[in-house]
Amino acid sequence: NVLRTLAASFSKIIEDRGCVARIGGDEFVAVVRVPGDAETEAVCVAEELMQAVVSLNEVDGHTISIG
């Protein structure tokens, strides 16, 4: 359920900007359409995704630690 929870968080972050998919194990890929500066947008999206990972601290009533 941890990976499902992360996938849902990632999908919410990406929303209309592109798509996110789990490609195997605990690996995800995000494809994002960029209207402006691609590098700046990529960094912004990566920071948002990483924040989702580090802020995940409970799934199904179980405390978890990622990192």
Side-chain angles (χ1 to χ4, degrees):
N1 283 340
V2 171
L3 295 176
R4 287 186 186 130
T5 301
L6 281 174
S9 294
F10 291 168
S11 292
K12 187 173 182 171
I13 290 167
I14 300 298
E15 290 186 317
D16 296 337
R17 297 186 279 184
C19 65
V20 64
R22 183 173 163 211
I23 58 173
D26 60 354
E27 298 173 332
F28 291 84
V29 64
V31 178
V32 181
R33 289 182 295 280
V34 180
D37 180 12
E39 185 175 348
T40 300
E41 184 65 16
V43 169
C44 180
V45 169
E47 288 174 347
E48 290 179 61
L49 295 173
M50 288 302 300
Q51 184 58 41
V53 172
V54 298
S55 67
L56 183 64
N57 55 19
E58 185 177 308
V59 174
D60 293 337
H62 299 280
T63 302
I64 61 171
S65 176
I66 299 174

